[in-house]
């Protein structure tokens, strides 16, 4: 007897985050005394010590989806693979401690190539004082796959989730936004030039900053430490991997609040703005939807305004509102614009 044909739902109809919610909606926690936070934040939170909690996060990078080896040196790729996981630990207001690395490789890669990949990983571990403690290696029939799990720790009272933002909280962001996306566009443009004429040399002069931002991002563990030094406890926090719009929507959804972000307060580097003009893109669009900046987006209580207003590397870009007021971007001129997530989605 033939089985009745089952309905098929295409991945792009659901999107990355919709798929995650769908697949994990029935996941049960059997050890709540140890699993304090499971799926749904930048890292899981596990209780295995009396005074500190274990943070766990994992990420996978797939050739052709997350990176292009045409313009991504293996050393930079190894560094970035570690950095994006360390960033998730920082986003929980924690301290990274260990990494495990698993890779799947095809026979087109040599031992020397993998050595270069691991040089980058070791550089990241050295910079952020993280132990590389294990992993796995296997073969792949196509391309390179990198899966990294990062472990960190934090005192329970220091851990910052996405769901703690409250009405009137200030919205803050570290560093500047949009540079990584502009760097990616430059690299993609030069790749197309090379494919059309392999004798042409890439024109990358003057784009050092934005290219470094896409190829070698730096997790903002320094911001985590600075906030502790100034006795500022964020009420909610997330790292910006998918664009400012997507990340503030995560915080608002999980915290059941709305927000207002002011366009003229969003920090954008001059190099980002100038490059955006060459691509006929508004710099704000790059900041809101570009992604891969790996800066920290966080909210703080208004009482901490005097502590943070003069801190370097942090900008106050808006405030949290009631949920029924929605999520809006206040442009320099004109009416408020509803915020929509148009950043990176691996299934779209």
């Amino acid at each position: 007897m033939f089985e009745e044909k089952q309905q098929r739902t295409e991945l792009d109809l659901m999107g990355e985050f919709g798929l995650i919610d769908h697949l994990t909606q029935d996941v049960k926690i059997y050890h709540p005394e140890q699993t304090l936070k499971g799926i749904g934040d930048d890292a899981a939170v596990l209780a295995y010590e009396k005074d500190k909690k274990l943070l766990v996060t994992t990420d996978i990078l797939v050739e052709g989806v997350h990176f292009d080896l045409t313009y991504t040196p293996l050393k930079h790729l190894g560094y970035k693979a570690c950095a994006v996981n360390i960033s998730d630990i920082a986003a929980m207001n924690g301290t990274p401690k260990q990494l495990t690395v698993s890779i799947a490789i095809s026979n087109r890669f040599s031992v020397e190539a993998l050595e270069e990949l691991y040089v980058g990983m070791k550089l990241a571990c050295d910079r952020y004082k993280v132990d590389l403690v294990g992993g796995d290696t296997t073969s792949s029939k196509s391309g390179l796959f990198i899966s990294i799990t990062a472990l960190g720790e934090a005192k329970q009272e220091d851990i910052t989730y996405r769901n703690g933002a409250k009405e009137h909280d200030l919205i803050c962001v570290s560093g500047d936004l949009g540079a990584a996306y502009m760097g990616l566009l430059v690299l993609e443009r030069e790749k197309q030039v090379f494919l059309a004429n392999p004798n042409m040399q890439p024109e990358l002069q003057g784009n050092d900053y934005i290219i470094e931002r896409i190829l070698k991002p730096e997790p903002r563990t320094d911001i985590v430490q600075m906030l502790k030094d100034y006795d500022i406890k964020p009420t909610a926090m997330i790292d910006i991997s998918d664009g400012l719009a997507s990340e503030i929507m995560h915080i608002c959804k999980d915290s059941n609040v709305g927000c207002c972000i002011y366009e003229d307060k969003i920090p954008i580097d001059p190099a980002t703005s100038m490059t955006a003009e060459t691509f006929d893109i508004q710099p704000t669009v790059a900041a809101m939807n570009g992604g891969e900046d790996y800066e920290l987006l966080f909210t703080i209580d208004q009482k901490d305004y005097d502590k943070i207003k003069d801190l370097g590397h942090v900008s106050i870009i808006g405030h949290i509102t009631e949920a029924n007021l929605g999520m809006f971007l206040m442009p320099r001129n004109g009416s408020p614009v509803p915020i929509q997530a148009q950043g990176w989605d691996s299934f779209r």
Side-chain angles (χ1 to χ4, degrees):
M1 180 181 295
F2 292 101
E3 293 184 2
E4 184 177 347
K5 187 175 181 180
Q6 293 184 342
Q7 181 181 352
R8 175 184 171 90
T9 303
E10 302 299 333
L11 293 176
D12 60 355
L13 294 178
M14 194 166 288
E16 178 180 358
F17 300 111
L19 180 64
I20 293 172
D21 289 342
H22 177 71
L23 295 178
T24 61
Q25 62 183 337
D26 296 325
V27 170
K28 297 180 180 179
I29 300 298
Y30 296 98
H31 306 284
E33 72 283 358
Q34 292 178 329
T35 306
L36 303 185
K37 181 66 175 180
I39 298 167
D41 222 298
D42 287 283
V45 180
L46 310 180
Y48 282 100
E49 290 188 41
K50 184 177 181 180
D51 58 338
K52 289 185 179 180
K53 306 307 176 186
L54 178 67
L55 306 176
V56 183
T57 184
T58 190
D59 204 8
I60 186 168
L61 300 179
V62 178
E63 183 179 356
V65 177
H66 301 98
F67 60 89
D68 188 331
L69 291 178
T70 304
Y71 49 72
T72 307
L74 287 168
K75 183 188 295 185
H76 288 71
L77 177 60
Y79 190 98
K80 181 174 182 177
C82 295
V84 301
N85 282 274
I86 292 171
S87 181
D88 277 338
I89 298 296
M92 301 296 293
N93 208 27
T95 302
K97 292 292 184 178
Q98 293 90 18
L99 288 176
T100 65
V101 176
S102 296
I103 59 174
I105 47 174
S106 67
N107 59 10
R108 90 172 197 267
F109 291 92
S110 65
V111 172
E112 290 75 18
L114 293 181
E115 287 174 347
E116 191 74 359
L117 181 72
Y118 270 78
V119 166
M121 292 179 179
K122 292 171 186 175
L123 286 172
C125 289
D126 288 343
R127 181 180 179 97
Y128 294 99
K129 302 297 184 286
V130 174
D131 301 330
L132 181 57
V133 296
D136 191 20
T137 303
T138 189
S139 60
S140 162
K141 291 186 177 181
S142 62
L144 172 62
F145 300 78
I146 306 171
S147 178
I148 291 183
T149 296
L151 308 176
E153 67 177 22
K155 294 181 179 179
Q156 183 164 346
E157 62 268 25
D158 290 339
I159 297 174
T160 304
Y161 301 98
R162 300 176 185 178
N163 63 4
K166 305 181 298 297
E167 186 183 357
H168 306 306
D169 279 358
L170 302 177
I171 302 172
C172 305
V173 68
S174 66
D176 59 85
L177 305 179
Y181 181 57
M182 287 299 104
L184 176 63
L185 291 187
V186 168
L187 291 171
E188 284 287 345
R189 179 189 66 193
E190 297 308 310
K191 174 187 174 181
Q192 296 307 315
V193 172
F194 173 78
L195 292 176
N197 183 358
N199 294 320
M200 292 289 292
Q201 292 298 311
E203 295 183 9
L204 302 177
Q205 188 173 1
N207 294 308
D208 295 16
Y209 176 68
I210 59 175
I211 290 175
E212 182 176 9
R213 292 281 280 169
I214 183 64
L215 294 183
K216 187 175 172 287
E218 301 292 354
R220 299 310 304 263
T221 55
D222 59 321
I223 298 297
V224 172
Q225 186 58 52
M226 183 179 71
L227 293 175
K228 291 177 180 177
D229 291 343
Y230 283 83
D231 193 28
I232 301 171
K233 167 68 186 299
T235 53
M237 187 154 59
I238 191 172
D239 71 334
I240 301 178
S241 57
D242 302 318
L244 175 59
S246 178
E247 312 304 0
I248 191 61
M249 290 181 72
H250 279 309
I251 287 179
C252 288
K253 176 186 174 183
D254 289 4
S255 301
N256 192 29
V257 295
C259 71
C260 180
I261 291 179
Y262 297 90
E263 181 182 19
D264 60 352
K265 300 296 184 182
I266 299 174
I268 300 175
D269 190 85
T272 301
S273 297
M274 289 187 291
T275 307
E277 290 179 7
T278 66
F279 285 96
D280 196 25
I281 294 175
Q282 290 290 331
T284 302
V285 173
M288 292 294 290
N289 301 312
E292 295 221 68
D293 292 306
Y294 294 101
E295 296 293 345
L296 291 177
L297 173 68
F298 57 97
T299 56
I300 62 170
D301 193 291
Q302 281 198 13
K303 66 180 176 59
D304 288 326
Y305 171 75
D306 287 333
K307 297 179 183 178
I308 207 169
K309 65 178 182 177
D310 297 322
L311 290 186
H313 310 293
V314 173
S315 302
I316 300 173
I317 62 172
H319 62 275
I320 296 296
T321 64
E322 294 180 5
N324 59 11
L325 295 179
M327 296 170 277
F328 288 93
L329 174 70
M330 186 67 69
R332 294 180 177 87
N333 299 297
S335 302
V337 178
I339 294 175
Q340 296 180 327
Q342 300 176 11
W344 170 255
D345 187 326
S346 62
F347 292 110
R348 288 178 171 154

